[in-house]
Amino acid sequence: MSAVLFFIASIGALAGAIGVVMVRNPFYSVLSLVGHLICLAALFLLLRAEFAAAAQVVVYAGAVMVLYVFVVAYIGGQDEPLSQVGGALKVVGPLFALALAVELCIALLGTGLKGISGKGAPYVLGFGTPKEIGRLFLTSYLFPFEVASLLLLVAAIGAVVLARRRRGLPEDEEDEPQAPIIRPQYTGTMAEAAGVRPGFGTDPAASEPQRAATPATTSEGGW
Amino acid sequence: MPIGWYLVVSALIFCIGAAGVLTRPNPLVILLCLELMLNAANLALVAFSRMWGNQAGQIFALVVMVVAACEVTVGLGLIVAIYRRHLAINVDELNELRG
Amino acid sequence: MTPLLAAVGHIKAPHIDWASFSPLLALSVGALVVLMVGLLRPAVIRAAVVPALSVVTLGTSLGLQIWRFSHPASIISGALRIDGLALTLDMIFTVAALASVVISLRDAAPESAGHGEYHSLLLFSVLGMAVLVSAQDLITLFLGFELLSIPLYVMCASEWRREGSLESGLKYLVIGSVGSATLVYGLALVYGATGSTGFAGITHALSTGKIAGGLIGDPMMLTGLALVLVGFAFKASVAPFHQWTPDVYEGAPTPVTAFMATATKAAAFGILLRFFDVAVFDLRDTWAPALATVAAITIVVGNVGALGQSSLKRLLGYSSVAQAGYMLSGVVVATRLGVNATVLYLGVYLFMNVAAFAVIAGAQRERADGDDLAGLAGLGGRRPWLAWPMTIAMLALTGIPGTVGFIGKFQLIHALVDGNYTWLGIVLVIGSMISLGYYLRVIAAMWMSPESAASIPGRGRLAPIAGGSPEADATGVSEPPAAAAASPDATRSGPGIEITLVAVVFGAASVFFGIFPSPLFNLAAHAGRALGLH
Amino acid sequence: MSTTTFGWLILLFPLLGCVVVALGFRVERGISAGVIGSAAIALSFAASVGALISILGRADSSRELTSSLWNYASTVGVDAKLSILVDPLSIFMALIVSGVSTLIHIYSIAYMKSDRGYVRFFSYLNFFVFSMLLLVMAGNFLLLIVGWAFVGAASYLLISFWYRRTTATRAGLKAFVINVVGDVGLVLGTFFIFRHTGTLDFLKTFHAVPHVFGHNATDLVAGCLLLLVGAAAKSAQVPLHTWLPDAMEGPTPVSALIHAATMVTAGVYLIARMHPLFEVATTAADVGAIMGCATLLIAATIAIVQTDLKRVIAYSTMSQIGYMVMGVSVGAYSAGLFHLMTHAFFKALLFMAAGSLISAMGGEQSLDRMRGFRRAMPFTFICFVVGGLALSGLPPFSGWLSKDDIIAYLDHRGGGFEILGILGYVGALMTGIYTFRMIFRAFFGEPCEEARDLAQGHLYHPESGFNPGTGELEDADVGFPGPEHHIAERDLAMKVPMAVLGVLAVVGGVLQIPGVDAGINRFLEPSFAGSRLAQLDPSTSSAWIGLIIGGLIGLAGIGIAYRIWIVAPGTSARLQTRFGALQTFFYNKWYFDELIDFAVVRPSQWLGGFTESVLERGVIAGGVTGGTLGVVRAFSATVRRLQTGFLRYYAAAMLIGVFGMALYFLISA
Amino acid sequence: MSLSVLIWLPLVIALIGAVLPPRIGPRAVFVGSLITLGVAISFVARFTSGQAGLQFVTDKVWISALGIHYKLGLDGLNVALVLLTTVIFSAALLWASLREWDRSRNFFFQFGLAQSAVLGAFCSQDLALFVAFFDLMLIPFYFLSGMWGTGPDRVRATTKLVVYTLIGSFLMLVAAIATGALASSEHHTPITFVISSLRGLPLSHTSQDWIFLCFAAAFVVKMPLVPFHGWLPDGYKAMPIPAVAVFSAILSKVAAYGFLRIVLPVFPYASAHFQTLMLVIALLSVLWATLVAMTTPDARLVVAYSSVAQLGFITLGIFSLQPQGAQGALLQMLNHALVTAPLFFIVAALARRSGGSEKLIDMGGVAFRAPVLASLFLIVTLATLAIPGSANFAGEFLILLGLFKAKLAMAVIASVGVVGAAVYALRLFIGALHNRVGPGVRTADDISLRDTVVLVPVLLVILVLAFYPQFGLSRSEKSVQSAIAPARAQQTQPATATAQVAATP
């Protein structure tokens, strides 16, 4: 029974993972990940990690993925264009991943640990239950628990700093004047040296009006 | 099922995630792939936890979930900021810094 | 309600040694206070009180670190070990953060990110570093690792008006997350192989061997080690995991780069020392050659990469890669001397790099191309108080006697020779030879070339732009931006007294400790003793 | 005053003279510099005489005196003190050097009067005399080498005295470099000897040599041969002689000083001084004798065909030095030194006369242009003839007694040395020919234009100065004897020294006449006391037989010259067409210059160019420096190209790193 | 008075000079250098000859963790060199203080730093301290050359110079640390870098070999010897005259001194082992540099390459491993310094007359109008070509004698260099002063007073030394013998070993 469940769940998890990678539309990628996470939760359950499984479904597949969906919706979940660079990576990347997988499997299965071929340690009552986990979090792992809370706070601050709405801006026409690094010509920026993408102000004539225009725009914007 | 099988699955998920990071130019999807890699680690942790009969692995897995959430939050915040700056949501076009 | 209380009742909370914990506590409390104060409305509070509070926090923490210096302790269920190594490195983080706070006093980054947020992130990052280097447990380690990284991702991108800043933030985030994922997978394997998340447990498992034949040659353990190594190496900018470094250093706001370059590196090496030289010391015969090879590659790659750069921050990014290679060699030998040398070099590195980055920040205030070599032309004549610290910093990074850099290299090579890694010592000096090619260019630009004609007014203190910072939003119509742009000291301000001060202090320290290095040696020796190596 | 004090004084005066003249260059007007310089040398001569008297008052056995002032470079087993050796040999040399030099100085007072480098000239001249005296007074090898090299330096300065002439500077450089070769030979020779004796001091060395060296010991022979290199370079012996003819670029008094009294005799002195060594290293001595013989013949053949008046005399000097070297090499020390003395007299005389003649010609030195000066310059003519007769070895002139003394000794010594003696006679014949070729061509026959002018009381003035060597316009700025001529007929300061020398050339031989007296021999005896060869004196009768043969041969030489250039004036042209190849060969000085040029100068120039352009620029700057730089740069470019700025590449690099790292750990597992 | 006073005085004076107004600062620095000179003289006067040990020792622990001492001392090896350093620096500073310099306070500060570093290198008796001073002394020259140098390419050239020489120095750093570390581990003693202690702790042969090569790399690059002289032509061309004079005169000597002070006593086995290698390199330098000096069209480079040749001779003397050779080398260090510095000043004076050009082809013919200059130049030229009678010859004589005793054939080949020296020295003299007036010559006035006051004192020293070279020898005799004794013992050991074998049956 558990074997069947294992196979179903793991095939689901792998399929979800592949879906995340292969699907062109980010929206479907997110949905695919949700599927993957739920299958993973099933695997957790098989491994007697009840609390982890629950957290996985509730917090992860639930809350975090919703955030994803919102962002995808915000920036538009269009299909990504065919990339002009990194063509080689499209082929080589998966091959590498495959090689790495083989390597990891050799490492995991080649170990001398006997437990690897067993079904795990004898089941102890309460293993993986919220109560046990909670107790650990308040005793042995009190410090990580507290730090994790700080970490979440940091992430929240970070999100605020990065994505906070700037007041008075029309939503779609936000065009912040950036403070450009106007470099005189031939100062040897790498972009210039590479000749691929001339940076700002490589042409002084072109950059001059832009500079002059910058304060004017800001004052007229009436922010 | 022997623990080894779980570990193999986790290794495969890890590598699928890695392949995704390498092949997808959309930062959103890259973040998703990173989630995959972290989840692979979670699976391994939970499996080991079961193997040793030791709940530290589960604690670790929960911590990793927290971390994953934090990374996602910040990552999405960055993507939004980039979007607001009207820059392409494409890591292949963010290469002013190089050399 | 009652069952819950009952449940809580029979959980015995671990004993907390508040005294030993106080340096960390000060940081976290300070960070929260700074965050809260940053929400207050008056602009002066944000621009002046917040940095002041940050300084107070850091100063308090520093004082507490010094207080606890000779009282090593394991606290909170053995999650942390506050010992000589941790405290020495904590001092480095704190000093780096102090310098960064001072440099960013009038910088664009805190204004666009919001002072409270910016400074609390900085403090949280310091806290993360402190947690990381004190960690005695894989979980704490990972959390510390993330607590130091995530604020930095945000801070890199905090100057969100600049494309480069955002780009660097995203790059750092993605590559950093790949590194984290690798690390955590590696930690999982280590946990799987040893069945323990505590360092003591790992060491015990390695030495006793819970399975037949021991874990010394176990593929799972070793692969886990490899992945962990990659995670740390990424953070320490070790080649081939260094590629984010130049890009992020260049793109990030200069005060953040200064902090990142010095403190992050110290944190990464702190945990490298703890993990490799203590937890998995028994596998030394396996990892040492790998680490040595990686160190050699890093030294060469970092130094040759820096050669043709024109952006100073990028140049210093590559240079930091090279320096990481130097320091890694101290880890390789896995002797007390090696630990001493690495810690010493971390301290030394702090002085040299903060001086250099402070000068860059100053130059950027003055000219928009202050980060560029061409922008430094004629600095010697124009701003000797910036040019001299930069010169000293460059000479020190090269390893010229009379500066701390010489002392640092001396001790590293000593450790290498002593640990039978003389060849790595030779690679180290070959790297130093190559490094002359770019450090001297910086000096030459300052002293030996005339000021370039096209001088561009610097960013100076940016006029508040709506949406750019909370106070602009709050006051609605504050001062007209045009007027701010017109006032001369706003557009073409000097480098600022505080930046000059930082540059001069750290430059002078680079010389002073180069001539009287004994305090540094004592600190490093303290750190070395903490690990109990031979 | 003690003898050694005189010895130091001999050295002090010229040095003082040199310094005083040089330092006072701004205040010395007129001939004051010349007077000071001459007085210094005269004082030195007086000191020499004082030393002579003082040493004659001592017993024979105590006539070798050393005196040292301070440690010069004494360290770790090297005993180099600032010490002089005063013995009959050094006093003899000092007398000749200071005496003849005094006369030359006096001559120069007038001769150089119109030269704008007057002060410099006397300073150099004094320095030269100081150097030469240092050379002969030196009491150890190191000081000998010092004197040796100073002489070379002084000769360089004097040869390129008119330094705006490229020919002069080139000749000076050549002289100096060849002299340095000699110095090096001397140094290395010293090393060979020092290695075994462990001392640089002469007397100690001489005492040690018979004990530490076996007969013809390899190191000693090598050392002596290297000393011979030094001697050859200084005394213009084949093959290191090529500088001497070129040295005629210097003012005529310089030629007189270098080629008569001082510099070139240094080699002879050296061999005589080192006789205890050479007598043990007989092979080296034989080489010296053969070298001398070869030089005397080669130089004589060249002298016969040269047309430059001073060069003829120069080659004759070489030839005569050849006699001396031959003499002192085989053991005829007193004879060789005797010839050295008489040669100093008559050769100085000849040069002075030639200088006078050249002045009259307005700087022209070619014999082809001179003719018939007999009536216009009677005093010069007489001096020239006296010198010529002495040189040719005609009885009863001094040269006759001295030169044939050497040959007589050769014949007497036997053992194959007779061959050298016979060759010496061949040389004597040629000496007669070339000497009187010169006299007959310059003084006899129809007077040339300049001679006619002079006879009428005018002086010929050349239109503008051209360098006779290159034909380029002279740079008149620095001055030459210039349009104002100084000829013996008009300047008492020139006439007096010439007269004195003329007398000495005639009567100088009385010091040593076989069977009558042996003044030189007896005086020098203490210096050669330990010598086996010095005791080997030819009997009076055999000496006289040799003298008579020599006199006859000299006469024959003069006769031949008379036949060719007076009786049948076209003969020389006929001979030239008949022996054209030989004449060209001789005229081109046996192609020694070309040989050296080909074998030494060109290769080193080529090598220099090669080193500079190929090795220096190509290998060092291009290869080593540039190559290293190139590798580093290429590496740098690679690293920076890999830094594409694309996030996904970075991630890929990282995963490759993960893969590699894991692979390594797996393999080591 | 301790040696620290001597070492740090120049730096202190330079710092004082840097705060004085630009008009009097330079002069103050020059006067200060005279004070330093006086201090040096007082040390030389109080120095007791005839003993090998150190005198005026200052010994303090500098870095206790590493066993590094701040140990200074004078013995026969360095006493004369210290005096020499102060003399040459005074001359260079006098030369410099009589001219106008842009940013002059910085200029003189760099000079003071350089002097302190050089004196420190000469006096230090601790390996690590020596290495520190050795590297440090280069840095002021980077600034001097880059900021006040000549030619458009000066920054590149001076970078090349610094990189080249620091490459050697860094290798030496490794070697020095290895010396201390290995000596302590091989003999189980606490780590020390004090040279006298290290002499008592000989390293294993393999360690000595590679350490020797690293030290040698540092020293031969600094001197420089062929083929490690790639920085020389450009570097010398780029430096301002007082800097190049000091660099060529003094800094190259520190390297040669390093052989005597450190390499021979501390690594005797390797010194004997690599004797032939070092001699071949030195010989190659002599011949190569001589050939280039004979051909190069640039007056300054003639002097530069002549230095290379001279340092080749010095190295020959040192690695003859004979007391005479080493003594000669030490004497020659003094002589060469005293000769080469005035030569650079003279080249500058000549270049001023030929419109700034330092090409020989532009010079010539000024001797007549400039008799004093010509006379001074003549004396220097003759000393340069080591005419017997000059102290240079005494040095060369001893060097060749030592070499002759060690390797006869090499002495013979080396003597070719003596002849070559005559050629290039006279070529320079003739080309600059004689022959026709050069096409570039603008003025032919005689030497100016400000050149005279620099040249004449130095020339007087040359002349005095010519009469009394013993000055440079008597103090050093014992120290030199003690310095080379270990290496000599290594050399003779095989011989005695075989002798013992022969004697036992």
Side-chain angles (χ1 to χ4, degrees), chain E residues 33-100:
Chain E
S33 79
L34 288 184
I35 297 171
T36 315
L37 175 61
V39 173
I41 290 172
S42 85
F43 274 107
V44 174
R46 288 183 289 143
F47 186 84
T48 322
S49 309
Q51 58 185 62
L54 289 172
Q55 305 180 23
F56 314 112
V57 176
T58 302
D59 193 351
K60 293 193 177 68
V61 177
W62 180 29
I63 306 174
S64 57
L66 293 173
I68 299 177
H69 286 233
Y70 174 74
K71 184 175 181 186
L72 309 171
L74 288 182
D75 68 356
L77 294 181
N78 55 7
V79 64
L81 289 169
V82 165
L83 182 61
L84 173 83
T85 306
T86 51
V87 169
I88 298 291
F89 265 95
S90 292
L93 282 169
L94 176 58
W95 198 92
S97 66
L98 295 173
R99 282 157 182 79
E100 294 296 320

Side-chain angles (χ1 to χ4, degrees), chain D residues 454-624:
Chain D
L454 190 62
Q456 290 159 10
H458 305 300
L459 262 173
Y460 165 78
H461 289 287
E463 294 136 26
S464 62
F466 284 95
N467 185 338
T470 58
E472 63 180 341
L473 195 65
E474 293 285 16
D475 188 342
D477 224 17
V478 289
F480 287 106
E484 300 135 67
H485 299 259
H486 305 286
I487 56 176
E489 264 66 18
R490 301 194 173 184
D491 276 302
L492 193 64
M494 293 169 71
K495 220 167 182 171
V496 170
M498 285 169 74
V500 172
L501 283 171
V503 172
L504 286 173
V506 177
V507 305
V510 298
L511 283 173
Q512 179 145 318
I513 302 170
V516 180
D517 66 351
I520 307 270
N521 220 342
R522 240 197 4 264
F523 175 65
L524 290 177
E525 217 183 336
S527 291
F528 301 104
S531 164
R532 181 176 48 82
L533 294 172
Q535 320 301 333
L536 208 73
D537 238 5
S539 66
T540 313
S541 56
S542 63
W544 273 107
I545 292 169
L547 282 180
I548 290 162
I549 298 172
L552 288 173
I553 286 173
L555 204 60
I558 297 170
I560 292 169
Y562 188 72
R563 167 87 179 76
I564 296 175
W565 283 283
I566 301 292
V567 178
T571 320
S572 63
R574 276 206 313 283
L575 285 172
Q576 191 172 336
T577 46
R578 191 143 165 214
F579 302 104
L582 203 60
Q583 196 266 349
T584 317
F585 185 65
F586 290 159
Y587 188 79
N588 286 311
K589 303 162 259 181
W590 291 45
Y591 293 101
F592 268 108
D593 273 320
E594 285 76 3
L595 186 71
I596 291 174
D597 192 54
F598 180 77
V600 180
V601 180
R602 271 163 203 273
S604 56
Q605 273 174 351
W606 180 85
L607 212 57
F610 178 79
T611 313
E612 220 242 334
S613 57
V614 179
L615 294 181
E616 192 70 17
R617 301 227 183 100
V619 177
I620 298 296
V624 177

Side-chain angles (χ1 to χ4, degrees), chain E residues 400-445:
Chain E
L400 286 174
L401 180 57
L403 185 60
F404 186 88
K405 287 172 123 181
K407 308 264 167 175
L408 193 150
M410 288 201 181
V412 175
I413 299 170
S415 55
V416 174
V418 180
V419 180
V423 178
Y424 66 67
L426 283 182
R427 174 172 170 264
L428 177 64
F429 180 71
I430 292 171
L433 291 176
H434 285 172
N435 291 341
R436 291 307 175 87
V437 176
V441 173
R442 306 275 180 279
T443 53
D445 46 345

Side-chain angles (χ1 to χ4, degrees), chain A residues 107 111-112 144 164 166 178 187-188 223, chain C residues 113 143 161 218 223 310 372 466-467:
Chain A
T111 180
R164 130 175 82 197
R166 318 290 158 178
Q178 58 179 322
T187 47
W223 299 325
Chain C
L143 274 169
R161 288 195 199 91
D218 189 72
T223 309
S310 68
D372 205 273

